[in-house]
Amino acid sequence: MASGVTPWLLGLISLLAGYTAVAVAAAANRQPHIIIIVADDLGFNDVGFHGSTQIPTPNIDALAYSGLILNNYYVQPICTPSRSALMTGKHPIHTGLNHDVIYGPQPYGLPLGEQLLPQYLLRLGYTTRHVGKWHLGMAIQELTPTYRGFISHLGYWGGHQDYYDHTGFLAHTTIGGAHPYGVSLSETLLPSHLGTLEYINHHVGKWHLGFFREAYTPTKRGFDSHFGYWSGRTDYFDHTALEQPGYWGYDLRRNMSVARDGYGQYSTDLFTNEAVTIISQHNTSQPLFLYLAHLAVHSGNPYAPLQAPADVVEKFSYIEDENRRKFAGMLWKLDESVGHVVTALDQRGMLQDSIILFTTDNGGPAAGFNQNAASNWPLRGVKASMWEGGVRGAGVLWSPAVARPGRVAPQMVHITDWLPTLLSAAGGDLSVLGSIDGIDMWETLTQGLTSPRKEFLINIDPVFNGAAVRIGDWKLMHKPQAYGHHWDGWFGPSGRNQTVPQAQLEVILQQVLHSPAAVAIKKILPHVFDNVKSLRLKAEVHCLPVPVNATQACNSVASPCLFHIPSDPCEYRDLSHDRPEVVSYLKSRLQYYNKSAVPPRNKPWDPAANPKYWGYAWTNWKDYPVPPMSQGETIRYEENLFDDIYGDKRQ
């Protein structure tokens, strides 16, 4: 027997070893807590782990550097389609949600026949909680969160809201007379350009580019004179205008009740506090599913699109662009939220048994798109497009179950994969899922195996007549977006040319290492942050400057564009003429996907949904009698099948 080691000590060591083995085995067999954090409209380049130092995101980066950076990860171009794919594991072409989003007054939603992720997890014994944005339908109560598998919900049913008063403002697609916005003042209009060339500029007739402030009117936008009307239409003789003012109402719910007590609280803080409360009060003997879908960094209502506390915005005084500076404040609060959630999990002893998925819902609305200031640099395009900037998502998967944590995951992953992947991690029977588009990626990602996913459909939009598909390294597409050729470009900022001390890389990395998220994670993975700098470099996407002969557009259905993404991630060079055999094969795959597509479910606005009829709150209006309406509204109501929630009245 070794000197100094007694039989008692050996027995104790043996006992402790046995106890540890049992504890490890118990942890391995315990169902994980599942936390999904969705950032709304976050751009590929808005997170630090993709290389930008302009806006620090230390808590998000801490998750990334200690988990998996999903560097070949794809989402849908816009919100409702992505959220439906996340919740169902099905591509939106198979749920009828592949065109546009569900607007508040539209009487449809994610089909009620679909089973959602929280419903599957409920059957596995999970406590299912939803905080934040829903955006999958609200016309009837059966479409809302607590009827779709969540036992509680604090948040909003629509697509956006004001960050403080929690109202949602929706207008039709043109600028109405009562709408407090117009063509952004940051845009230089044609007459202003011509004025620099000594032109005299006169405008006669219709304006329709905004007039809620004098600065938006013709003679303040470059014209020397104007005779005409500012709105969208007038009577041909008396020159009066009847305008639709849009729909405006409060949109904050606790379960089915309007949550007036949230008024005045900043949305990101409100949702963070609710998430932390849920965690702090959770019975840890049961697995928790928390779906935290933030408003940030989506723009708010048109009259105040970018909102953050003034003291937070002041932190970024070095950012010259005012909109980007406000965006930075919004992003800082989002990152702070991630830190609070991770800390709360740690304090309850839940972190070591948790899976955390952090994801955007689509690419960032850059350069003023959607009145926002995100960045997808160096990727091409913006939100609502099928360019890489619209669909290549910022995403992180974190779990102690990840082998060799602190990796860049090159595996192809699509947002539809999360439902089977998370159910697999929870010990669910995937055979009950039936026909879905998602693939179980749990072992693939956690063990670093070759991805079973070799292709995915980006989208088929029969209304815009656009489509795109990715097969292996190749991407084929036509009409990637429908909002004007300007949005086919490349938009910054790069975030890599800051000279102020607080935006230097070493300072940024120290913020990461000392962030609340990192402090909590190091208790479980003490050495996981040893190679942060090299990991960051691996996660960057590098492209040469935009060449003068870069492909300008891909709008021909007959002659779609073909890009080789690994060698050309910024989509500079269309190779369709060089590789006709690849084009032919990818076209056949698009045809294959299109055969199984269902018609889009979009419906016209229902005037009965107007919040003015419901105490100025957005509500499940189809559950109530039709309110008294004006004659014009009644005619529009009767002309449309607004009560056809299930789609059975369609010819």
Side-chain angles (χ1 to χ4, degrees):
M1 183 177 294
S3 175
V5 180
T6 66
W8 177 85
L9 183 57
L10 283 175
L12 178 61
I13 292 172
S14 176
L15 179 65
L16 290 173
Y19 174 80
T20 302
V22 170
V24 170
N29 293 324
R30 189 180 300 135
Q31 288 175 299
H33 305 295
I34 298 174
I35 317 297
I36 299 180
I37 304 174
V38 178
D40 202 340
D41 284 4
L42 186 69
F44 187 83
N45 190 47
D46 289 327
V47 289
F49 64 81
H50 277 150
S52 175
T53 59
Q54 185 185 49
I55 307 172
T57 53
N59 292 287
I60 298 170
D61 291 359
L63 284 178
Y65 296 143
S66 59
L68 292 176
I69 297 174
L70 304 169
N71 238 30
N72 196 10
Y73 172 50
Y74 287 82
V75 292
Q76 292 306 113
I78 47 176
C79 173
T80 295
S82 274
R83 290 163 203 267
S84 70
L86 175 65
M87 288 289 115
T88 65
K90 292 185 177 182
H91 194 282
I93 66 163
H94 295 139
T95 56
L97 300 177
N98 49 318
H99 171 70
D100 210 345
V101 299
I102 301 172
Y103 295 96
Q106 292 179 308
Y108 75 103
L110 181 58
L112 294 176
E114 300 293 343
Q115 291 292 296
L116 275 54
L117 177 59
Q119 293 171 309
Y120 289 115
L121 291 174
L122 265 179
R123 298 188 194 107
L124 296 176
Y126 275 76
T127 300
T128 57
R129 309 280 190 181
H130 178 24
V131 179
K133 177 173 176 173
W134 178 237
H135 209 191
L136 292 173
M138 62 171 163
I140 57 175
Q141 63 183 10
E142 288 82 4
L143 290 171
T144 61
T146 55
Y147 286 80
R148 304 306 298 262
F150 290 104
I151 66 172
S152 71
H153 173 236
L154 175 72
Y156 56 109
W157 290 347
H160 74 277
Q161 61 171 209
D162 185 272
Y163 278 76
Y164 290 97
D165 67 27
H166 308 301
T167 60
F169 176 79
L170 286 175
H172 289 284
T173 54
T174 61
I175 302 171
H179 298 162
Y181 69 101
V183 174
S184 174
L185 296 179
S186 64
E187 299 289 343
T188 303
L189 304 189
L190 175 62
S192 295
H193 287 296
L194 292 175
T196 64
L197 300 176
E198 299 185 357
Y199 275 72
I200 304 300
N201 302 301
H202 299 286
H203 178 210
V204 178
K206 177 175 175 177
W207 176 237
H208 206 194
L209 295 176
F211 63 88
F212 79 107
R213 290 180 183 157
E214 184 180 358
Y216 287 81
T217 60
T219 56
K220 301 297 181 180
R221 303 306 298 268
F223 287 104
D224 297 286
S225 72
H226 171 243
F227 177 73
Y229 56 106
W230 289 347
S231 61
R233 62 182 181 180
T234 67
D235 185 274
Y236 277 75
F237 291 97
D238 66 20
H239 309 299
T240 59
L242 175 64
E243 289 280 354
Q244 296 292 334
Y247 296 175
W248 174 86
Y250 193 74
D251 189 8
L252 189 66
R253 295 269 170 168
R254 183 173 291 280
N255 304 325
M256 293 299 297
S257 300
V258 177
R260 298 284 182 185
D261 58 331
Y263 183 87
Q265 299 181 55
Y266 188 67
S267 289
T268 307
D269 292 338
L270 179 65
F271 299 147
T272 301
N273 293 339
E274 179 72 7
V276 169
T277 298
I278 287 171
I279 294 168
S280 65
Q281 296 178 355
H282 180 67
N283 178 357
T284 57
S285 66
Q286 294 181 311
L288 171 67
F289 172 44
L290 173 59
Y291 175 42
L292 174 56
H294 272 292
L295 170 62
V297 287
H298 196 290
S299 52
N301 290 328
Y303 48 81
L306 303 177
Q307 297 173 303
D311 61 322
V312 177
V313 176
E314 182 59 29
K315 294 176 184 288
F316 302 97
S317 58
Y318 56 87
I319 299 178
E320 294 183 4
D321 181 82
E322 180 183 3
N323 289 334
R324 183 67 175 172
R325 189 162 61 247
K326 291 178 180 177
F327 179 94
M330 296 158 66
L331 180 52
W332 177 267
K333 293 296 290 183
L334 173 66
D335 181 80
E336 181 183 67
S337 172
V338 172
H340 287 319
V341 170
V342 174
T343 298
L345 291 168
D346 172 49
Q347 291 174 344
R348 290 304 312 283
M350 297 167 63
L351 186 60
Q352 65 267 29
D353 299 315
S354 292
I355 297 169
I356 302 175
L357 169 64
F358 176 86
T359 178
T360 186
D361 61 342
N362 44 248
F369 189 90
N370 219 175
Q371 294 183 284
N372 214 317
S375 174
N376 301 310
W377 190 92
L379 303 180
R380 186 172 189 172
V382 296
K383 167 187 176 178
S385 80
M386 292 180 279
W387 295 108
E388 290 290 283
V391 295
R392 189 165 178 177
V396 171
L397 182 67
W398 186 93
S399 169
V402 171
R404 305 178 308 283
R407 287 188 278 121
V408 174
Q411 293 92 342
M412 181 184 288
V413 183
H414 188 258
I415 193 168
T416 54
D417 296 333
W418 293 124
L419 182 137
T421 297
L422 295 173
L423 286 180
S424 175
D429 178 7
L430 301 190
S431 67
V432 304
L433 299 180
S435 178
I436 63 170
D437 300 297
I439 299 173
D440 175 12
M441 301 288 288
W442 182 246
E443 291 295 321
T444 296
L445 292 173
T446 58
Q447 303 305 312
L449 307 178
T450 301
S451 176
R453 179 172 287 286
K454 307 301 180 186
E455 66 178 78
F456 60 90
L457 175 69
I458 296 172
N459 199 27
I460 297 173
D461 189 324
V463 179
F464 289 156
N465 200 22
V469 67
R470 172 82 183 269
I471 311 290
D473 294 342
W474 296 98
K475 177 179 176 181
L476 184 80
M477 65 178 176
H478 60 79
K479 296 195 73 173
Q481 57 87 23
Y483 298 95
H485 174 59
H486 170 72
W487 300 112
D488 286 327
W490 297 263
F491 305 98
S494 73
R496 287 157 174 79
N497 53 1
Q498 302 295 321
T499 59
V500 296
Q502 59 266 46
Q504 299 308 299
L505 180 57
E506 292 303 324
V507 175
I508 297 291
L509 295 182
Q510 284 301 309
Q511 287 184 349
V512 173
L513 297 177
H514 294 92
S515 67
V519 170
I521 291 167
K522 281 188 279 190
K523 297 177 184 178
I524 303 169
L525 304 169
H527 304 295
V528 75
F529 295 107
D530 291 348
N531 299 305
V532 166
K533 190 175 291 187
S534 62
L535 188 62
R536 179 189 180 94
L537 289 173
K538 292 177 183 177
E540 290 192 48
V541 170
H542 296 280
C543 296
L544 295 173
V546 180
V548 293
N549 62 344
T551 300
Q552 293 301 304
C554 295
N555 292 328
S556 172
V557 177
S559 301
C561 291
L562 178 71
F563 296 98
H564 186 260
I565 297 302
S567 64
D568 185 17
C570 295
E571 298 170 300
Y572 290 156
R573 187 184 176 201
D574 171 22
L575 298 175
S576 58
H577 296 295
D578 299 332
R579 300 298 300 270
E581 77 286 0
V582 178
V583 171
S584 178
Y585 177 66
L586 268 64
K587 277 186 173 181
S588 72
R589 295 305 293 165
L590 271 178
Q591 293 169 357
Y592 165 80
Y593 285 115
N594 197 41
K595 287 179 181 178
S596 62
V598 301
R601 297 177 59 82
N602 309 71
K603 294 184 180 181
W605 286 23
D606 181 350
N610 194 328
K612 72 180 182 181
Y613 298 122
W614 312 105
Y616 283 94
W618 291 99
T619 194
N620 47 307
W621 76 97
K622 295 301 297 179
D623 289 325
Y624 305 101
V626 178
M629 294 183 286
S630 68
Q631 182 178 1
E633 288 176 317
T634 302
I635 292 171
R636 286 190 288 121
Y637 180 87
E638 293 174 347
E639 286 177 347
N640 294 286
L641 296 174
F642 290 119
D643 59 338
D644 187 17
I645 295 291
Y646 299 94
D648 0 31
K649 295 186 180 179
R650 295 184 181 185
Q651 298 297 320

